[in-house]
Amino acid sequence: GDDLIREVCHRLSAALGDGVLARLGGDEFGLLFATASKEEALARCEAIVAACSTTYMILGHAVQISASMGLVLAESTREAESADHMRMADLALYEAKRAGRSQVRLFDESMDESVRFRQTIEAGLRQAIVRRELEVVYQPIVARERLDIVGFEALLRWTSAEHGPISPSVFIPIAEESNLIHELGDWVTAEALAECQRWPHQYVSINFSPRQFRRQDFVESLAAKVAQSAVPPHRVQIEITETAIFDDDLRAAETLQRLRALGFRVALDDFGTGYSSLFNIRNFALDCLKIDKSFIDGLGREVESAAIVNSVTHLARSLGLGVVAEGVETETQNQALRLAGCSHLQGYYFGRPADAAATVQLATQGGADEAAAAVA
């Protein structure tokens, strides 16, 4: 590590030329140089990133790294503003990393507002469990033949006292980027398992983020929680995304095998939106694929959507996998998906996410008529 830092420093110094270079932290450097224009500064930074993002020979081993840069144009030379310039550059660096790394980002005012908002949401989320602002709701999953309710997907909702309802698409990524996702995930799991105990036979489907899935003790921790709840593992379905398993496919394959060996169900969520293929997923211990809502929306309007749904369903079934169609909202979609051979269906057509009390009633009734009535 030390040798690599030294090599990076040499390359930065050579690429920078005239200017000031300082090491700010473990793997972070500060650069100060004069520039004639924004365009020239960006071009120079991109050249520096390219110079750093190559192969290094460290103690006889080839090491490949990447670099990201945050840039701020400092027109004033007053010392009192230097701290602000460093803070702005750091915000731009944060955005460069968030955008996928190996990039240069020029600071703008929206970055400051974005960070303040994220900090507000993160602070609020830390208190949300204590304040009982969080709620788990449950959406029915029905079987193809008789449209009986066979399971429920647990979905997290947050209504903040300060900001009102906050979308999961806003707060989940923020939690994912911090250790909050683990605390949040443990709470949702405990709530979902407690509710599953009240249902006669349905399974509960719980979403786990890539960061949760990669925890070293993920299998052991989940198995312990399920054992403590007295819910049989076959009534617990683990939903993970393509990102969770294809970032480290060997480790993911081992984790999935262990989960299946313990009796858990495993579903691959949002199938088709990432970079997986049926050729790849045959190597993983999965029970079913969940076709993303974006493909279901096109049924009846786009020939391509119908072709994709039919192809995925046919090939998945040939691999012994079930297929859950998400986002079913119309009778046309329902009929088309059942005809295509989807084993399970989920969406507003069969029931909107309901609170715990309403879910118990639905689970006890368990039929398609009652589920469809919940749409109104």
Side-chain angles (χ1 to χ4, degrees):
D2 290 341
D3 283 353
L4 178 60
I5 290 294
R6 293 187 190 100
E7 289 297 321
V8 170
C9 187
H10 293 323
R11 294 195 188 190
L12 280 174
S13 182
L16 175 63
D18 294 334
V20 177
L21 171 66
R23 185 183 178 195
L24 305 178
D27 61 350
E28 190 169 291
F29 292 85
L31 293 79
L32 181 66
F33 58 89
T35 183
S37 66
K38 176 179 72 175
E39 291 73 22
E40 178 187 296
L42 283 168
R44 193 165 174 182
C45 286
E46 286 167 358
I48 291 170
V49 166
C52 290
S53 303
T54 55
T55 302
Y56 297 73
M57 291 303 298
I58 306 296
L59 301 177
H61 298 278
V63 178
Q64 181 74 37
I65 69 165
S66 63
S68 305
M69 290 187 72
L71 171 65
V72 61
L73 299 179
E75 296 180 358
S76 170
T77 57
R78 287 184 297 176
E79 185 176 346
E81 295 184 9
S82 61
D84 278 342
H85 293 148
M86 289 294 292
R87 182 182 62 83
M88 293 173 188
D90 196 49
L91 290 173
L93 175 60
Y94 175 82
E95 288 298 321
K97 291 179 177 179
R98 240 176 37 98
R101 301 179 183 274
S102 301
Q103 301 185 42
V104 178
R105 281 288 183 271
L106 177 65
F107 173 82
D108 65 57
E109 295 297 331
S110 67
M111 291 179 183
D112 213 357
E113 294 171 7
S114 173
V115 169
R116 277 199 293 266
F117 173 74
R118 294 174 67 84
Q119 289 172 340
T120 300
I121 293 297
E122 184 176 339
L125 197 53
R126 290 184 184 278
Q127 297 297 321
I129 296 177
V130 177
R131 295 173 180 171
R132 304 185 70 83
E133 296 177 346
L134 295 174
E135 180 188 20
V136 180
V137 294
Y138 304 88
Q139 186 170 38
I141 301 170
V142 303
R144 172 177 176 266
E145 298 301 330
R146 298 181 53 220
L147 299 183
D148 292 331
I149 299 176
V150 295
F152 293 91
E153 180 178 359
L155 301 166
L156 183 61
R157 297 290 183 263
W158 179 21
T159 302
S160 165
E162 291 83 7
H163 305 286
I166 300 176
S167 170
S169 64
V170 172
F171 70 82
I172 292 295
I174 294 174
E176 173 74 6
E177 291 178 10
S178 69
N179 285 326
L180 276 175
I181 194 64
H182 301 304
E183 181 181 350
L184 206 59
D186 290 344
W187 183 83
V188 170
T189 300
E191 290 286 308
L193 290 173
E195 288 307 315
C196 187
Q197 288 179 305
R198 303 170 64 195
W199 308 335
H201 58 80
Q202 290 87 356
Y203 66 84
V204 63
S205 195
I206 307 172
N207 292 277
F208 291 93
S209 75
R211 192 163 182 179
Q212 289 174 275
F213 184 73
R214 297 187 194 109
R215 280 171 66 170
Q216 293 294 327
D217 64 341
F218 175 71
V219 176
E220 293 81 3
S221 176
L222 180 62
K225 289 182 177 66
V226 172
Q228 186 176 10
S229 73
V231 174
H234 72 268
R235 292 185 60 195
V236 179
Q237 178 167 279
I238 294 148
E239 288 197 27
I240 54 173
T241 61
E242 299 170 4
T243 303
I245 63 176
F246 290 110
D247 278 359
D248 187 350
D249 55 353
L250 292 177
R251 185 172 179 274
E254 179 187 354
T255 301
L256 294 176
Q257 288 285 359
R258 293 173 62 198
L259 289 168
R260 286 287 301 280
L262 291 171
F264 292 104
R265 307 160 62 100
V266 182
L268 185 60
D269 196 16
D270 298 337
F271 182 75
T273 59
Y275 48 86
S276 66
S277 70
L278 285 168
F279 177 80
N280 288 326
I281 65 172
R282 67 181 181 173
N283 298 317
F284 295 99
L286 300 171
D287 289 281
C288 68
L289 308 177
K290 299 192 76 173
I291 302 178
D292 187 66
K293 183 181 184 297
S294 59
F295 299 113
I296 310 303
D297 288 341
L299 290 178
R301 301 195 315 269
E302 303 168 358
V303 175
E304 294 83 0
S305 291
I308 289 170
V309 170
N310 279 287
S311 297
V312 169
T313 303
H314 176 75
L315 292 172
R317 291 178 68 185
S318 72
L319 292 174
L321 301 175
V323 176
V324 181
E326 293 186 288
V328 184
E329 297 182 353
T330 68
E331 173 61 17
T332 300
Q333 293 171 346
N334 173 40
Q335 293 297 337
L337 292 163
R338 293 177 74 185
L339 188 64
C342 290
S343 58
H344 297 81
L345 305 128
Q346 178 183 352
Y348 286 178
Y349 183 76
F350 303 103
R352 292 177 180 271
D355 63 23
T359 300
V360 170
Q361 186 177 359
L362 280 175
T364 303
Q365 295 168 344
D369 292 339
E370 292 82 1
V375 177

